Amino acid sequence: MNLILQGLNTDRPTIERIASIADAQRIVPVAPHAWRCEGVRNNDTLKSDIDTQCLAAKLDYAFVEPGRRLSDFRLVTMDMDSTLITIECIDEIADMQGLKPQVAEITEAAMRGEIEFRESLTRRVALLKGLDASALQRVYDERLQLSPGAEKMLAAVKAAGLKTLLVSGGFTFFTDRIKTRLGMDYTHSNELEIVDGKLTGRVAGGIVDADEKKKMVEQVCAELGVSTKQAIVMGDGANDLKMMGIAGISVAFRAKPVVRAQADVALNFVGLDGILPLFE
């Protein structure tokens, strides 16, 4: 088994100390901020120890099977809000109404899995009733930023021949623009109902919840003629767990504890391109 260690501000002695805990046979640099520790042990006790040590050193880690390549996979699926991008779009839209604290509180509860997503989205969107639709463009222009490493990660997965899917409990206004901007293959998200230039406080059509996200991953994989085990799925909230659960590799990106606990890989400190050293 290999242990991949990654961190933006660490030193070789720290890497060597953690590698020694896992009885690594060799340490190989695989990227400017990533190291592969080869021939390590892997058990629950060791993983708990590594987890504690890496958290203290602000390192991300992952146990990976030797020889896995990015080209072994066929699809990368990403959540949008707080995963591919740094913001929760609905919170920023609400800020235009002076309602960000109220909406953000519901968002956080849903991300932690304390409120069912459909209920949370319905409640949050209802608070936006009457907002001028131009606020959506303002959020896109003024506040939406890609997460660190997003473009590097996407360039690498495309070069390896993988398709890309952006599936979100957010809104088509943003996913459509990101799809065009980044050249993504598939998107699926909610549509805000707009009448006479104003948000009605409702979603048009069905709601993209955890079940719908999982269904979309299955649908795209079927279209590509591959197993869901050939998908890498990345997310940060409880609404992502079902689609992450069917993936070959699930990645929790700066995620809530409930998501980190269930993911194969957790990236807390490096960017989205932190998935790339897993396959070096």
Side-chain angles (χ1 to χ4, degrees), residues 132-193:
D132 195 288
S134 63
L136 304 179
Q137 190 65 49
R138 284 187 58 200
V139 169
Y140 182 82
D141 291 339
E142 299 172 13
R143 303 190 182 187
L144 188 150
Q145 295 183 356
L146 298 176
S147 291
E151 290 176 295
K152 181 179 178 181
M153 180 271 292
L154 286 169
V157 301
K158 291 176 186 177
L162 283 70
K163 298 295 185 181
T164 54
L165 165 63
L166 181 61
V167 59
S168 173
F171 307 114
T172 55
F173 183 91
F174 302 102
T175 57
D176 288 351
R177 284 160 176 75
I178 290 173
K179 179 183 180 183
T180 300
R181 174 178 170 181
L182 298 178
M184 302 187 74
D185 297 296
Y186 306 91
T187 62
H188 189 51
S189 56
N190 298 298
E191 183 177 358
L192 287 169
E193 186 178 76

Side-chain angles (χ1 to χ4, degrees), residues 2 17 19 63 69 146 149 201 222 238 245 266 270 274:
N2 292 336
R17 176 175 58 80
F63 290 93
R69 295 289 177 262
L146 298 176
V270 300

Side-chain angles (χ1 to χ4, degrees), residues 75 216-228 230-231:
L75 177 69
M216 189 63 184
V217 174
E218 292 170 335
Q219 180 179 318
V220 172
C221 284
E223 182 177 324
L224 297 174
V226 302
S227 164
T228 59
Q230 289 175 273

